[in-house]
Amino acid sequence: MAQKIAYQGEPGANSNIACMQMFPELESVPCASFEDAFELVSSGEAELAMIPIENSIAGRVADIHILLPQSHLQIVGEFFLPIHFDLLGIPGSTIEAATEVHSHIHALGQCRRLIREAGLRPVIAGDTAGSAREVREWNDPTKLSLAPPLAAEIYGLEVLASRVEDDPSNTTRFVVLAREKELPTRDELPGPAVTSFVFRVRNVPSALFKALGGFATNGVNMTRLESYMVGDEFAATMFMVDVEGHPEDLPLRLALEELDFFTTEVRILGVYAAAEFRTAQTVTA
């Protein structure tokens, strides 16, 4: 039986493409929600989940910062996918005859130039690939979809315009989740590594400044820092962090030891190999 990787969205979505590119040997399983994808992994029905965590234009993916720490799954990898959208319609349709374009709100926002120039009315759909499926089902030449290229193949639509996103550098970062296990040692992960964790600071003045100071003084590069509220009293703040390095590396080990002095909770979400995209960007910079 083929091993499975779960993703949120319909067949043809960007998450589906990320699964196929990073794990072509695995069966990609669509899920209606992130929670459903997490549950497939937790229950053992799928070995992995591919979850978008941030986009270079739209920022963080809503709810993931809360759902991920609660899932008790472990980050075991990352993948960066350049995001491309095609304008799709049923066979025989044209841009000139169309009046509406359907897609996820982020896709519509990332293709404003085309929508404006073509004089189309944007209509929000729950999913990019789902909008392609709906356009196929409606069989109406006045309705078009903005969706990833794979959706055209799956739903039998014509590509009326390719790569219509406003910003060609648009990229989404995904994390690969698995059931919890022992974190890999430095010997098991010899190359560039990323450590992801969450922490909560003590309720003392300048706690965050002091908590982060150890990363600066030890020369640890922090690539992501996001805050979010926990509970319902707006009094407790959690921070989700990505840093370069492995916890066994001396600089990061010292920084984490210093972090302990100023926090009430620190939990590592994963230690994993840095994606080639990340290391290439670092070299280019």
Side-chain angles (χ1 to χ4, degrees), residues 55-256:
N55 176 265
S56 60
I57 294 176
R60 75 181 181 190
V61 176
D63 299 333
I64 292 301
H65 58 293
I66 294 176
L67 295 174
L68 181 54
Q70 294 176 346
S71 71
H72 298 291
L73 299 179
Q74 184 174 317
I75 302 175
V76 296
E78 65 175 354
F79 185 75
F80 290 81
L81 179 70
I83 301 300
H84 301 298
F85 294 111
D86 289 353
L87 186 64
L88 310 178
I90 63 171
S93 59
T94 63
I95 298 177
E96 293 73 22
T99 58
E100 297 178 356
V101 59
H102 298 248
S103 196
H104 188 274
I105 186 171
H106 286 169
L108 294 171
Q110 293 165 18
C111 301
R112 289 191 179 95
R113 186 184 303 115
L114 170 80
I115 295 172
R116 182 177 62 254
E117 291 175 353
L120 299 171
R121 183 171 70 90
V123 181
I124 297 173
D127 181 74
T128 54
S131 73
R133 173 184 53 77
E134 290 175 335
V135 165
R136 174 75 270 188
E137 292 173 350
W138 292 327
N139 200 35
D140 182 344
T142 68
K143 301 181 188 298
L144 305 181
S145 164
L146 281 169
L150 180 60
E153 301 176 25
I154 292 176
Y155 301 108
L157 297 176
E158 287 188 357
V159 177
L160 305 183
S162 298
R163 298 197 172 189
V164 297
E165 61 278 358
D166 295 340
D167 188 342
S169 68
N170 187 8
T171 303
T172 293
R173 176 179 175 240
F174 293 80
V175 290
V176 181
L177 305 180
R179 290 180 291 282
E180 284 188 309
K181 56 183 179 181
E182 285 191 20
L183 295 173
T185 65
R186 198 20 145 171
D187 289 341
E188 295 172 318
L189 205 63
V194 177
T195 298
S196 297
F197 59 94
V198 291
F199 70 87
R200 187 184 310 199
V201 295
R202 297 184 185 278
N203 189 19
V204 296
S206 303
L208 179 60
F209 174 79
K210 295 172 182 176
L212 298 181
F215 296 93
T217 56
N218 287 287
V220 176
N221 188 27
M222 186 173 292
T223 60
R224 183 169 182 256
L225 172 65
E226 293 191 0
S227 64
Y228 60 97
M229 304 302 295
V230 292
D232 55 4
E233 297 180 356
F234 296 94
T237 304
M238 293 288 289
F239 295 88
M240 183 178 290
V241 181
D242 294 333
V243 295
E244 294 180 352
H246 189 286
E248 294 177 18
D249 297 340
L250 181 60
L252 183 51
R253 178 165 61 82
L254 294 175
L256 291 173

Side-chain angles (χ1 to χ4, degrees), residues 20-35:
M20 294 173 64
Q21 289 189 8
M22 189 173 186
F23 298 102
E25 74 281 7
L26 301 185
E27 177 186 347
S28 300
V29 181
C31 297
S33 67
F34 291 125
E35 291 93 334

